[in-house]
Every structure is written in structure tokens, then in C-alpha cells.
Amino acid sequence: MSAPKGYSSLQIHLHWVVAILIVAQFVFAEGIEEAWRAFEEGGAAVFNFMVGVHVVGGVLVGAFALWRIKLRRSRGVPDAPEHDPALQKLAAHLTHLALYGLMILLPISGMAAWFGGVLVAGEVHQLLKMALIVLVLLHVLAVLYHQFVVKDGLLARMKRPLD
């Protein structure tokens, strides 16, 4: 299968929905963090609205990540810019793989911790969260590099569908 020239409308929408959900996971994390601390200290973890928002958000991130992977496999994705050096293409590929892995592993570790009471899963969740922050920052910096230094219009691929 040859690579498409751009992302589909569905791929673009899912990308931005997942991006918003991930940001929301960090913005609204305080409720679940407080509940988890209470659980670790031997108390009962209180399930409230903010905890529910975090849990539902995490499940949606995982589900949408799986959907995005299915779309990548069935439709494909555009090739990396031709002018990018091979090492840069490899770094982009590995970063995307890691991002997808984290979008699946974070909800799984969070559910194992929250619903299964698995303390080590909570610790893994925290480590994966730090890795996600680093990779998202790397992803954003790469986009900014392409937009303002290379000026190759790479960002436009995630703004306009080429169905």
C-alpha cells in the first residue's frame, strides 16, 4: 500500500480529541491524586465527579488510541518529509510508537491501580505519566521546529484533511 498524501479527516479529528483528552487528564488530575493518596495511606479511595472525569478520560484515550492504530494500519499515514535526515525520521517513528504505547499502557496501569488496588501499577502509572510528558514535549518541539525553522508546512497535515 502506498502512503497517503495526508491524514484523513477522521485521523485529524481523533488526533486533536486525544490531545485535548490528554491535556485534560493533567489539568483535572488533582481529584484522583487526592483519592489515591488517601488509599495509599490506608483510607478509602473516594469516587467523586473529578475521579470519574479522570477515569472516563483515560478510558477514552486508550480506546481512541486503539482506533487510531487501526486507522494507521488500514489507511496508512503520510511519509516523513523527504528532506528529513534518516536519524530524524527514525526518531519521529520511535516517538510515535512510544506515544501510542503510552496512550494504551497509561489507561491500563491506571485501571489496574484504581480498580484492582495494585499499588505497583500506580507507581508504573506515575512513571509512564512522566514519560508521556517528555514525549509530548518532544512531539510539540518537533512540530514547532518544522513549522518555524524548516518551514515545510508539516503542521498543515494535522489541520487539513487530504482524504
Side-chain angles (χ1 to χ4, degrees), residues 115-138:
F115 294 110
V118 181
L119 291 175
V120 71
E123 293 169 15
V124 167
H125 191 72
Q126 289 301 311
L127 291 171
L128 295 176
K129 179 177 82 169
M130 294 298 118
L132 182 65
I133 290 169
V134 169
L135 289 177
V136 166
L137 284 173
L138 181 62

Side-chain angles (χ1 to χ4, degrees), residues 86-143:
L87 192 56
Q88 191 173 323
K89 289 179 185 180
L90 177 63
H93 178 71
L94 293 176
T95 299
H96 281 103
L97 282 176
L99 282 168
Y100 278 103
L102 289 170
M103 288 186 283
I104 293 166
L105 292 173
L106 271 156
I108 290 170
S109 63
M111 288 187 288
W114 186 258
F115 294 110
V118 181
L119 291 175
V120 71
E123 293 169 15
V124 167
H125 191 72
Q126 289 301 311
L127 291 171
L128 295 176
K129 179 177 82 169
M130 294 298 118
L132 182 65
I133 290 169
V134 169
L135 289 177
V136 166
L137 284 173
L138 181 62
H139 184 65
V140 169
L141 288 172
V143 168

Side-chain angles (χ1 to χ4, degrees), residues 18 21-22 24-26 32 50-66 102-111 115 125:
V18 170
L21 284 170
I22 288 172
Q25 289 299 88
F26 288 101
I32 200 157
M50 294 309 291
V51 169
V53 166
H54 189 82
V55 169
V56 169
V59 169
L60 288 173
V61 167
F64 288 155
L66 291 171
L102 289 170
M103 288 186 283
I104 293 166
L105 292 173
L106 271 156
I108 290 170
S109 63
M111 288 187 288
F115 294 110
H125 191 72

